[in-house]
Amino acid sequence: MCGIVGYVGKKEVVPILIDGLRRLEYRGYDSAGIALLDKGNLTVAKSKGKVELLDNSVNRSHYSGTVGIGHTRWATHGEPSVTNAHPHTDCSKSIAIVHNGIIENYLELKEKLIKEGHKFRSKTDSEVIAHLIEKYYKGNLEKAVLSSIKKLKGSYAIAVITKDEPHKVVAVKCGSPLIVGIGKEENFVASDVPAILTHTRKVIYLHDYDVVVLNEKKVQIKNIKGKNVNRRVEKITWDINAAEKGGYSHFMLKEIEEQPDVILNIIKRRIDDKRRIFFDELKLNKNDFKSIKKITIIACGTAWHAGLIGKYLIEKHARIPVEVDLSSEYRYRKPPSIKNELVIAVSQSGETADTLAALRLARHNKLKVITVCNVIGSSMVRESDSVIYTHAGPEIGVASTKAYTAQISIFYLLAVHLAFLRGVIGRNTEHKLVKEFEELPKLITRILNNKKDIESCAEKYKQASSFLYLGRNINYPTALEGALKLKEISYIHAEGCSAGEMKHGPIALVDEKLPTVCIAPKSVTYEKMLSNIQELKARCGIVVSVATERDNIIKKHSDYVIHIPKVNEDLSCILATIPLQLLAYYMAVAKGRDVDRPRNLAKSVTVE
Ligand code: M6R
């Protein structure tokens, strides 16, 4: 939930840290801070709010140093304030630490440290780390870090510096992401790749309990026993431009517009020239797929909506029963497992705490787990039996957009692939379904070309204080996703419902002030949606329909119609999502919200 960065080299460290923090801001933006080693002194600068405020408050000419650490915070313990901002220091202000995660036993540790004479300044759980390291420090920082982490319970990625060893950064990871960047006469640690990508493409994804010692010449990784370990150096192939706004006013808009390319990329990677689907990286063979008796999908938030769509697709095409669970529920409800059950974890980040815990539980119960993920080398990827990458490129906007349509695309192709492997369909049907999928980039572009129309719709209804979203069948999850997008970035209350459930309660909300977004493309449930729309109009409700082009009937009963091109019903959930993303985006912009960094949220929820 927080972002950390560390540097050791020959360059001025402040601009490197500030730039790194800006690129990690999607992880939290309640406060920001840096600590650097400056001519034998440890200097700390912090500010409440976004990194920009820290940058404005730091007079760069006053600082000079080539070793430092930085932090951008998503508050868990203690309100957003300068005192609670990281870096935190020990009593003598010789050691500074930054931390991402939660120290679950911090109260107990804090009490003990206070009894031993340590003076605490903040309300955070993280400050105990600085005092523990102080307690164990006997002239060797990595040894003190090793002793300290043995006392910690919870999740953490930590970077530490001390003025007594001014040429090194020590960092450690357990449960929260941390990478090492290897440069020429300079080395880095960071929570995520964009923070260091302008400096190096050579990256190591650390494992839990790896303790890394960086100086400008060397990167040394030890395990919890203090023994050296080797980790593979990976080369990042994507460009930093992919993680920059590139002229767009917001990452979210850029990421919405990238969706045709994301799907083209999926086509390139997953479909051969005979229109056959392949998932080469899956370590399961044909017989493994044939013997699957049940699939359980686990995910949170938007990824859970993609999972719900996955259920429709897999059950329809491959005829395998699918259960979809919120990871936070799955992990506590003691789910019974059956022989030949497969678990699919879905996550953009691969770091979401609940999904990671649910995945671990599934593996503990001896189930095979495939993770559908966007972030290469993330924790879930490392802990799964197999991975299917969505390859959507870095998603920075807190509201998930392109990762979602990429996840649905993967489910569509996987469902068709499973159907073929299990003999439910032949090559001809596979060919036909793939051909329809290949049309998507063109069709999405058509919707994007019409975004002025969606902007006008947002303008018209931006004063509404609440919205209802209705859909049926495969577009029921689309309604849930549309409502989630609207509430998270515009702060307008929104509720997504299955249209069939409307009469069982939500209809009581309908009046002349409530807009209902009805997702009603041509489909087997089209007539039913039309009835729902008429029922809404009979109660003076405002109806905004998402309908198939040239649908003249729906026009007569709606206050506003957003058109999407004609497409097979399975894929309508991808096309219908695009206008809903844009509607939420324009609504948030019209209300002056911070679209990419909505209040109280963080991109990656690495705490429970
Ligand atoms: O990284 P993940 O896909 O595991 O994240 C899951 C949710 O936290 C995420 O989808 C969240 O709901 C987004 N903010 C939605 O836009």
Side-chain angles (χ1 to χ4, degrees), residues 436-454:
E436 287 171 345
F437 181 78
E438 287 173 343
E439 291 296 301
L440 280 181
K442 203 174 69 201
L443 303 180
I444 296 174
T445 305
R446 235 156 76 194
I447 301 172
L448 292 171
N449 288 343
N450 207 18
K451 49 182 191 299
K452 278 270 156 246
D453 196 28
I454 300 161

Side-chain angles (χ1 to χ4, degrees), residues 85-105:
H86 299 219
H88 292 290
T89 48
D90 64 325
C91 299
S92 63
K93 297 198 177 156
S94 307
I95 296 165
I97 68 105
V98 286
H99 165 226
N100 168 34
I102 285 190
I103 305 303
E104 286 163 6
N105 58 337

Side-chain angles (χ1 to χ4, degrees), residues 404-420:
Y404 176 64
T405 45
Q407 287 158 355
I408 302 175
S409 301
I410 293 294
F411 272 121
Y412 180 85
L413 296 179
L414 186 65
V416 177
H417 188 53
L418 283 172
F420 172 74

Side-chain angles (χ1 to χ4, degrees), residues 299-304 346-352 355 380 398-401 407 481 484-485 488 601-605:
C300 300
T302 288
W304 178 67
V346 191
S347 175
Q348 188 286 130
S349 62
E351 302 292 348
T352 301
T355 308
M380 284 181 217
V398 165
S400 187
T401 52
Q407 287 158 355
E481 174 61 8
L484 176 66
K485 279 298 85 94
E488 72 178 324
L601 291 175
K603 180 78 184 155
S604 162
V605 184

Side-chain angles (χ1 to χ4, degrees), residues 133 140-150 160 170 172 211:
I133 297 174
N140 181 316
L141 188 57
E142 54 271 32
K143 280 194 180 151
V145 169
L146 263 171
S147 306
S148 304
I149 61 170
K150 288 180 185 149
V160 195
V170 176
V172 57
V211 179

